[in-house]
Amino acid sequence: MSTPEQLKYSATHQWARRESDGTVTVGITDHAQEMLGDVVFVDNPKAGSRVKQGAVCGVIESVKAASDIYAPVSGEVIAVNAELADAPEKVNENPYTAWMFRVKPADPAELDTLLDAAAYQKIADAEKV
């Protein structure tokens, strides 16, 4: 399982990356896609909508289950990865390049409240037991 050091993580298995323009790119972790299995559908929040840190903002479905997507930071959704509508399996191929949506954060400091890679890895490892 891959857990890139440069990303931040939520306990609900989303990753977040601060971009150079201050926006935050969001996706699900490698651990999450492994647990889901073959992803068949991604329902992202709509561009222009507002999301709240920790709140459900979308759904990802696999052949095994459906799982909520939680916003790792609050703010306005400024972009969604439309490619996932036709090719949701890209999440399984590489969850760290198959981003889901981008947020203009209402409070950039919220990103600092997320987990680092080591802390997230402990959570993921505990779930594998």
Side-chain angles (χ1 to χ4, degrees):
M1 181 181 78
S2 171
T3 309
E5 293 286 327
Q6 72 275 19
L7 301 177
K8 294 293 221 167
Y9 299 89
S10 69
T12 54
H13 309 294
Q14 283 73 48
W15 58 262
R17 178 180 63 229
R18 180 177 284 134
E19 303 296 345
S20 60
D21 64 359
T23 62
V24 176
T25 301
V26 178
I28 68 164
T29 65
D30 192 25
H31 173 70
Q33 71 81 24
E34 280 182 8
M35 298 301 284
L36 280 168
D38 294 336
V39 174
V40 296
F41 178 73
V42 176
D43 183 21
N44 277 317
K46 305 290 181 244
S49 65
R50 300 195 79 61
V51 295
K52 182 170 174 39
Q53 186 179 41
V56 173
C57 63
V59 175
I60 187 166
E61 295 180 12
S62 72
V63 294
K64 294 196 297 189
S67 183
D68 291 331
I69 300 170
Y70 298 87
V73 295
S74 301
E76 179 184 353
V77 176
I78 60 165
V80 296
N81 187 349
E83 187 176 66
L84 296 181
D86 295 325
E89 68 278 2
K90 289 188 179 289
V91 173
N92 294 115
E93 293 166 10
N94 189 335
Y96 299 111
T97 58
W99 60 277
M100 296 189 166
F101 58 96
R102 289 197 174 110
V103 176
K104 180 180 179 184
D107 179 3
E110 281 184 345
L111 194 63
D112 299 327
T113 67
L114 297 175
L115 303 167
D116 64 16
Y120 175 74
Q121 189 65 53
K122 287 180 185 174
I123 291 171
D125 289 346
E127 289 184 359
K128 289 183 176 183
V129 176

